[in-house]
Amino acid sequence: VGYEVEPQHSPLVYAYDRDGRRLFETPLAMDGASRVRLISMAASRDGRFAFTGSAESSSGAWTYFIAFLDRAGRITRVNRLSGIRARHLCYGSDGTLWAAVESLKRGIPGRVVEPEHDILQAYTPEGERKSSLLPRSSFAPAGEDWIRNPHPVFEDNFSRSQIAANDSEIVFLSLAFKQLVRVSRDGKVLSRVRVGRPTPDPDAMI
């Protein structure tokens, strides 16, 4: 599964099966959007796909979304995100879509403090939001200066996925805080390990 990085209008998204056969290759067009930019993508074992990014209207207004696609590349649902942006997506083996998100309300010294929110959000295979885990404050209190205290999902141009999930837990890599966190599906932090920054490797996957 992949997408066009620098589109003029609607990015081309595509997917292939395990045998290399193309499933679809189609522009991801959003109603009312003059331009769409994608941030992350995920594919499930049973042939569901999700893409997240931003859509810009002709008036210049932006909104962030998660789009759900079927095996033929048809959009089955679009969730417009309110106050957050999804940075990383992955599917669990049960079809749950997990998203690592950040608040759009950035801290401004002396004026605005980033609001508390959960970093991991879960969606059903059909796209309904069902739960959220891992509070922002579990990394550090939200500060006024996001440059000195960046959000845990901040990746600093490191484009590899920072989230993975299996039947029992979710693993989240925070490059900003240099932590690898394992969380159970009921929200319990199983471990929190200090890690160094990974070296970008085209063949590496988390």
Side-chain angles (χ1 to χ4, degrees):
V1 61
Y3 59 84
E4 188 179 8
V5 177
E6 293 291 340
Q8 292 298 315
H9 300 288
S10 299
L12 193 68
V13 298
Y14 49 86
Y16 296 80
D17 65 17
R18 294 180 179 180
D19 297 319
R21 293 187 293 266
R22 186 173 66 186
L23 298 176
F24 62 81
E25 185 174 304
T26 183
L28 185 63
M30 307 287 291
D31 290 342
S34 60
R35 186 173 186 180
V36 174
R37 291 181 178 177
L38 296 177
I39 300 172
S40 184
M41 61 191 175
S44 71
R45 293 181 180 181
D46 62 352
R48 300 171 189 263
F49 303 89
F51 295 85
T52 188
S54 60
E56 181 183 10
S57 69
S58 57
S59 65
W62 286 89
T63 187
Y64 290 91
F65 67 87
I66 299 176
F68 296 81
L69 281 67
D70 63 16
R71 190 177 178 86
R74 295 183 293 260
I75 295 176
T76 59
R77 182 187 177 102
V78 176
N79 290 354
R80 297 184 184 274
L81 306 178
S82 176
I84 59 172
R85 166 173 49 196
R87 282 283 191 181
H88 307 282
L89 301 177
C90 80
Y91 273 102
S93 56
D94 64 347
T96 297
L97 179 72
W98 291 93
V101 307
E102 65 178 327
S103 170
L104 293 178
K105 192 173 182 180
R106 292 297 187 88
I108 301 174
R111 294 173 54 194
V112 178
V113 176
E114 178 188 332
E116 176 65 302
H117 58 283
D118 285 343
I119 292 171
L120 301 179
Q121 297 198 355
Y123 297 84
T124 67
E126 293 73 34
E128 294 283 349
R129 184 173 178 272
K130 63 179 185 178
S131 64
S132 62
L133 311 170
L134 197 60
R136 165 67 175 86
S137 58
S138 68
F139 286 86
E144 293 181 340
D145 190 345
W146 67 270
I147 295 176
R148 292 192 180 93
N149 185 25
H151 193 280
V153 304
F154 182 69
E155 73 275 1
D156 191 23
N157 296 322
F158 188 85
S159 60
R160 297 293 175 258
S161 176
Q162 292 175 215
I163 183 174
N166 60 24
D167 292 337
S168 59
E169 64 185 67
I170 307 95
V171 178
F172 171 62
L173 172 64
S174 173
L175 295 177
F177 285 83
K178 296 183 174 63
Q179 293 182 19
L180 187 67
V181 185
R182 293 171 50 235
V183 187
S184 68
R185 292 204 169 207
D186 61 2
K188 181 181 179 180
V189 174
L190 303 174
S191 67
R192 189 183 292 264
V193 180
R194 185 79 174 174
V195 296
R197 178 180 172 81
T199 301
D201 181 349
D203 298 321
M205 293 185 65
I206 296 173

